[in-house]
Amino acid sequence: MRRRAKLNGRAVAPLFILILVAALTFLFPLPREQRMLRVVAKAAVAAATPGDKVAVVGNSVIGHVSKCDADRRDISAMIADDLHRPVVDLSYGGQAFEETVNLAGMALRTPHIRRVILPVPIAGFADADAMDLQSQAFFRLAAGPLAMNDIGARFGRGIYLSPGIAERVNSFTYKGKAYPDYNGVKTQYFEPERRTMPCPEVGGRNPEFMEAYYWINFVKPDPWPAHLADVRRLAELPSAKGRLTIVLMPMDFPGVRKMPATLQADVVRRRDGVLAYFRNAEVDVLDATDLVGPGGFADGYCVCGHLTESGRSAVAKAVAAKVGGAG
Amino acid sequence: MLFNSYEFLFAYLPCVLAAYWLLFRTAGPRWSILWLAAASLFFYVIGEHAYPWLIVVSILFNYGAGLAIGAAAPDRRKLVAAAAITVNLLGLFYFKYFNFAVQQFIAVGALEKAPWVVTLPIGISFYTFTQIAYIADVYAKTAAERRLPSYGLFVSYFPHLIAGPILHHKEMMPQFLAPSRRLPLNLYIGAAMFAIGLAKKVLLADPAGLIATGTFGSAAESVGFFAAWVGTLAYGLQIYFDFSGYSDMAIGLSLMLGIRLPINFNSPYKATSILQFWRRWHITLSRFLRDYLYIPLGGSRRGEGRRYINLLTTMILGGIWHGAGWTFLVWGALHGAAQAIAHAWSDLAKRGRVTRLPAWFGWALTMLFVLIAWVPFRAPNLHVTMNMWKGMAGLNGFAFPAIGPLAGLGQKLGVGIEAVQFSTLGVAQLGLISLIAVLAPNSQQIMRRYRVGLSSPGYGDLSPPTRFTLRLNWTSALLIGLMLGIAMRAIGSYSEFIYFQF
């Protein structure tokens, strides 16, 4: 008994240390996502090695290569070849809008990165989600005080420690039919198409689902004003002048044109609204939304903007022309 | 609400702990028990959307049944107890096995479609078994509870409510009334135990689960030799670290409240026989099945043949307790048969007719059997079970394992490559997790100095000495704090505990 009473008294200081260390480790501003950590490490390597480089951020559209493509280069590799300059690929599959813009902001602050390509999908402007707190704190330090890194604004939106989830990732109902969340959609709709899709991997065989998925990606959620403003602010940073190229990524208009007229009109209206915002704000963007024609999109069933070799080549050439033109 | 969620860690737990100790110190145990019972019911109700009222009805019924048994005339006690247990079992059957029974009727053409579908209430198996044990104990005059809040707390106590451990009334009630008051020490040890459990769950079980899910998900078609073994090993590790992690977290949380829960795991993957495995795996279920099923069936008292039948019956029922499906029955039957064989072998060895197996061979054989038996436990149906077993036996052919760059090498060599792909990091992680399961000391051993949980009689020394015991010093606090922080960071997307579904 006496030993336990003594132990009890001795436990106060270790308990305090335990809680303090746990809290500091938990809150330490470093991304929790492994894939984010990997690209941060790549940027660090780029900063430590001499020679001017181009950085490309973005989601799986950048790195996706169709199984049917003879040319296995992804968009980063094509840009590198077209520009004859080394490219640091900071893209990864599933990169959320906030991550993309923050990584671009971080790249602008990274030594030896001369030019930053920021490809943004139109659907991304509607993703009112948020990174986990630790990643947000990291980017606050690494990318600067963008509105998306404002902790107060985050709490104001009711997003605390857990990351927020984009509306289009959740389950939804369209025309009376219930669709599962993104994981469910992947197994129920994407996987069967992916497994059985012959070459070339264009289009999809479930127009009912594709219509619903266009709707939840491009029509249902409204663009998040803070996202539009953050891209504008990034473009207006002194460090971005002559160094940042914003690319509005291709939308599968050949696919959209097969959809009902009202949906087509809604998708076009969404795209035009985003373009108008940047035009009014006098932000120079490369509008590649309608750049890619039929045969340029791979995996049309997933409405994810993946490109075939012709699509990737068209984007890379447009980017190279823009960057080359800008010097 | 999950233990591995921020809502629980940063809102629920601090509020419950603070109010509990405040009430205990200022108003006494009556009020702290009432608070804890209310907080536990809240914990349950916000997670159970289909039947939040069911646990309250179940508590009231069994509380009343306990009083009725106590008040009944000696010749009617047995009848009242049997009736109460039957009602519990009927309830469990309806909520857990109704859909399965209907499916069987549909399969044989006796029904066209299901008249309705029943949603499984969270934790029903655990709180029903806890209360069946209570009724049996009241009948045996080893338990009696007159205070409803105390009884309500005994059943709904949040650290054990969803996935056990399965409690005995007599081991909990004295503690509720007089919890250990060493607050800083209990918080420190509880936090350390919780950190170990959380780390097991998010750093070991969840990564292993990713591999298991991928493999079993592909097994509806065909699965190769290597993938089948890797997937099964991954599941064996996932379920162990998931469930023992949950148990450690429950023990740790309870310690913060000054109450010791029974220990549920004792390094089962170090067992050198299947009999030892069951003295190390899910100990509170094992002792429940022993005390309330195997022994009442006659145990080993009625001859060898009857003993084996009792073992088989007990394990089959134990299997079905986990879930409604033929796969669980197969799992239980396999373990029942293995235990019968192990007992027979042990008896023959005692008579000198066969030799005792060397420990290393016993361990290898036990692990081989346990892994093979996990397949039906994890598979969604018998078709997938058979596909996995065929793959493990090499009947689906042998192809080059598709692990990271090895897949490319196989392609270059022009040999067939398995369909299920694994990352190099994933397989390396699995190797490391296996070593931890087999070689590392368990939570009780690490916490040996502080007696973190209750032992169960007949289950051996649960914390044999080890070099790695936690001491009350700054270095340990630093390491545990670091581990807790890392584990909390690793809490990612929603990740339920496997035993929640039972």
Side-chain angles (χ1 to χ4, degrees):
Chain A
M1 281 302 272
R2 190 175 292 165
R3 183 182 157 262
R4 291 192 77 80
K6 206 172 151 192
L7 273 178
N8 192 44
R10 276 177 43 205
V12 177
L15 177 65
F16 177 73
I17 297 291
L18 189 156
I19 293 169
L20 186 73
V21 171
L24 290 176
T25 310
F26 175 67
L27 292 171
F28 191 75
L30 196 69
R32 274 166 45 193
E33 286 263 355
Q34 275 184 26
R35 50 199 183 166
M36 226 189 285
L37 279 172
R38 273 199 291 271
V39 296
V40 167
K42 267 194 203 176
V45 171
T49 49
D52 287 350
K53 304 165 194 85
V54 175
V56 179
V57 295
N59 62 18
S60 62
V61 175
I62 303 301
H64 181 81
V65 176
S66 165
K67 68 181 178 191
C68 314
D69 290 341
D71 187 341
R72 310 298 297 169
R73 291 176 304 158
D74 62 15
I75 290 180
S76 295
M78 286 180 171
I79 292 174
D81 289 348
D82 288 345
L83 285 175
H84 306 292
R85 279 158 81 173
V87 167
V88 184
D89 185 354
L90 303 180
S91 72
Y92 52 80
Q95 191 174 98
F97 186 86
E98 292 202 344
E99 294 164 20
T100 301
V101 177
N102 266 313
L103 284 166
M106 186 186 79
L108 285 173
R109 292 176 154 201
T110 305
H112 301 307
I113 290 186
R114 279 291 310 143
R115 169 71 63 170
V116 178
I117 315 291
L118 169 60
V120 280
I122 293 285
F125 289 106
D127 285 354
D129 53 358
M131 291 173 286
D132 56 74
L133 189 64
Q134 298 86 347
S135 303
Q136 199 180 17
F138 169 79
F139 283 119
R140 173 100 192 165
L141 300 170
L146 298 169
M148 60 179 64
N149 296 334
D150 188 308
I151 306 285
R154 172 197 179 96
F155 289 176
R157 283 155 62 193
I159 302 171
Y160 303 104
L161 293 170
S162 305
I165 298 170
E167 186 178 352
R168 65 196 169 100
V169 171
N170 289 325
S171 54
F172 66 99
T173 303
Y174 178 67
K175 289 189 174 174
K177 184 169 178 180
Y179 293 90
D181 66 6
Y182 182 68
N183 284 329
V185 161
K186 263 205 306 198
T187 44
Q188 211 172 313
Y189 294 97
F190 295 173
E191 271 305 306
E193 292 259 31
R194 188 188 63 78
R195 269 205 305 267
T196 53
M197 183 66 75
C199 284
E201 287 186 299
V202 291
R205 279 162 296 189
N206 189 344
E208 188 193 6
F209 164 73
M210 285 168 67
E211 184 188 328
Y213 221 52
Y214 271 108
W215 177 78
I216 193 63
N217 272 277
F218 292 105
V219 179
K220 168 72 176 38
D222 286 324
W224 186 250
H227 284 351
L228 288 160
D230 267 333
V231 174
R232 177 173 58 80
R233 276 193 210 106
L234 196 69
E236 288 168 356
L237 287 174
S239 60
K241 294 286 173 241
R243 290 181 63 211
L244 180 70
T245 304
I246 301 165
V247 186
L248 295 180
M249 289 300 276
M251 294 167 75
D252 187 0
F253 276 112
V256 171
R257 285 179 193 118
K258 292 177 192 159
M259 299 287 146
T262 50
L263 190 81
Q264 283 185 46
D266 285 338
V267 172
V268 170
R269 197 175 307 123
R270 167 64 55 84
R271 189 270 314 263
D272 290 350
V274 171
L275 279 171
Y277 174 87
F278 287 117
R279 209 174 299 125
N280 292 339
E282 296 181 348
V283 173
D284 184 27
V285 295
L286 170 59
D287 174 19
T289 52
D290 209 355
L291 181 75
V292 175
F297 287 90
D299 313 336
Y301 57 84
C302 69
V303 194
C304 39
H306 289 168
L307 301 167
T308 61
E309 55 185 296
S310 65
R312 294 197 302 278
S313 172
V315 171
K317 284 197 185 327
V319 169
K322 179 95 180 164
V323 172
Chain B
M1 206 183 322
L2 299 169
F3 292 167
N4 56 335
S5 69
Y6 295 135
E7 294 80 4
F8 178 84
L9 287 171
F10 298 115
Y12 180 86
L13 184 62
C15 290
V16 171
L17 278 177
Y20 171 78
W21 282 113
L22 197 69
L23 281 170
F24 182 80
R25 300 221 163 180
T26 55
R30 233 179 93 194
W31 289 97
S32 61
I33 284 175
L34 199 62
W35 162 252
L36 209 48
S40 296
L41 281 175
F42 173 78
F43 174 83
Y44 183 80
V45 165
I46 61 159
E48 170 56 52
H49 304 295
Y51 310 102
W53 47 267
L54 187 65
I55 191 168
V56 179
V57 172
S58 177
I59 287 170
L60 289 174
F61 171 78
N62 285 291
Y63 171 71
L67 293 180
I69 296 166
D75 59 331
R76 294 183 66 83
R77 286 172 60 83
K78 195 171 188 174
L79 184 71
V80 180
I85 290 173
T86 306
V87 170
N88 275 298
L89 289 175
L90 283 175
L92 187 63
F93 181 85
Y94 173 73
F95 285 105
K96 197 156 181 172
Y97 305 104
F98 177 82
N99 296 342
F100 176 68
V102 165
Q103 278 166 18
Q104 306 318 305
F105 283 120
I106 293 171
V108 297
L111 263 178
E112 212 168 88
K113 60 172 188 161
W116 62 86
V117 175
V118 180
T119 310
L120 181 70
I122 297 172
I124 188 170
S125 307
F126 287 96
Y127 66 71
T128 304
F129 265 33
T130 298
Q131 295 186 100
I132 287 176
Y134 169 72
I135 295 290
D137 290 347
V138 173
Y139 172 69
K141 296 187 177 172
T142 54
E145 187 53 65
R146 301 210 149 268
R147 294 149 302 185
L148 182 58
S150 302
Y151 180 75
L153 176 59
F154 158 64
V155 179
S156 65
Y157 185 46
F158 77 87
H160 92 111
L161 176 60
I162 309 287
I166 299 168
L167 305 178
H168 279 315
H169 182 264
K170 61 176 179 243
E171 66 194 3
M172 299 311 295
M173 290 322 297
Q175 295 195 78
F176 287 144
L177 290 168
S180 162
R181 294 175 183 222
R182 316 250 183 249
L183 191 54
L185 183 64
N186 286 337
L187 286 178
Y188 179 79
I189 303 165
M193 197 68 182
F194 185 86
I196 293 171
L198 185 62
K200 278 183 180 178
K201 166 68 181 162
V202 298
L203 302 178
L204 304 179
D206 287 350
L210 286 177
I211 295 178
T213 305
T215 314
F216 279 85
S218 310
E221 290 159 24
S222 177
V223 61
F225 176 81
F226 182 79
W229 278 105
V230 169
T232 305
L233 174 67
Y235 183 67
L237 294 167
Q238 181 198 6
I239 193 168
Y240 168 53
F241 284 115
D242 186 283
F243 194 21
S244 74
Y246 175 89
S247 298
D248 289 348
M249 279 189 255
I251 289 169
L253 290 169
S254 194
L255 267 175
M256 293 182 202
L257 296 159
I259 292 158
R260 285 186 168 74
L261 289 180
I263 286 165
N264 228 4
F265 287 88
N266 180 22
S267 302
Y269 290 155
K270 292 177 188 168
T272 54
S273 74
I274 195 67
L275 302 177
Q276 212 184 75
F277 176 84
W278 276 102
R279 283 195 289 272
R280 291 165 172 262
W281 178 274
H282 203 173
I283 291 169
T284 57
L285 175 68
S286 183
R287 74 178 184 180
F288 178 93
L289 293 174
R290 180 196 66 185
D291 296 344
Y292 299 102
L293 198 57
Y294 177 67
I295 291 174
L297 281 171
S300 58
R301 300 188 302 275
R302 297 185 189 168
E304 286 301 292
R306 185 63 194 270
R307 177 196 205 180
Y308 301 144
I309 291 170
N310 289 343
L311 271 172
L312 200 61
T313 311
T314 304
M315 290 312 295
I316 286 175
L317 289 173
I320 298 171
W321 172 83
H322 283 89
W326 296 113
T327 49
F328 290 108
L329 190 141
V330 170
W331 177 78
L334 283 172
H335 273 279
Q339 287 199 47
I341 293 168
H343 273 293
W345 187 276
S346 171
D347 291 343
L348 289 173
K350 274 181 203 157
R351 286 180 220 148
R353 296 207 189 156
V354 292
T355 52
R356 282 194 185 279
L357 299 176
W360 67 267
F361 186 75
W363 173 81
L365 200 62
T366 307
M367 287 309 102
L368 192 67
F369 169 77
V370 168
L371 283 180
I372 290 169
W374 278 135
V375 173
F377 197 88
R378 170 62 179 80
N381 51 49
L382 291 176
H383 170 71
V384 171
T385 303
M386 289 311 295
N387 266 355
M388 286 292 287
W389 277 344
K390 275 188 198 167
M392 291 164 90
L395 297 176
N396 291 338
F398 293 89
F400 214 75
I403 313 170
L406 271 185
L409 181 69
Q411 227 159 8
K412 275 183 194 158
L413 294 172
V415 293
I417 302 161
E418 287 194 347
V420 184
Q421 298 203 350
F422 301 105
S423 70
T424 318
L425 185 68
V427 173
Q429 247 179 329
L430 205 61
L432 186 67
I433 297 169
S434 307
L435 289 177
I436 292 170
V438 173
L439 299 176
N442 62 39
S443 328
Q444 300 85 265
Q445 286 179 286
I446 294 168
M447 307 295 289
R448 190 167 185 271
R449 290 166 179 270
Y450 308 105
R451 204 171 78 86
V452 288
L454 304 172
S455 305
S456 297
Y459 285 83
D461 183 4
L462 298 179
S463 54
T466 170
R467 284 170 58 200
F468 305 98
T469 51
L470 188 88
R471 285 168 187 273
L472 195 62
N473 56 31
W474 287 44
T475 316
S476 295
L478 196 81
L479 288 175
I480 293 286
L482 204 61
M483 186 167 75
L484 184 60
I486 290 170
M488 286 194 300
R489 284 180 80 97
I491 295 173
S493 52
Y494 181 78
S495 169
E496 236 185 31
F497 293 91
I498 292 177
Y499 262 68
F500 275 26
Q501 63 189 293
F502 304 140

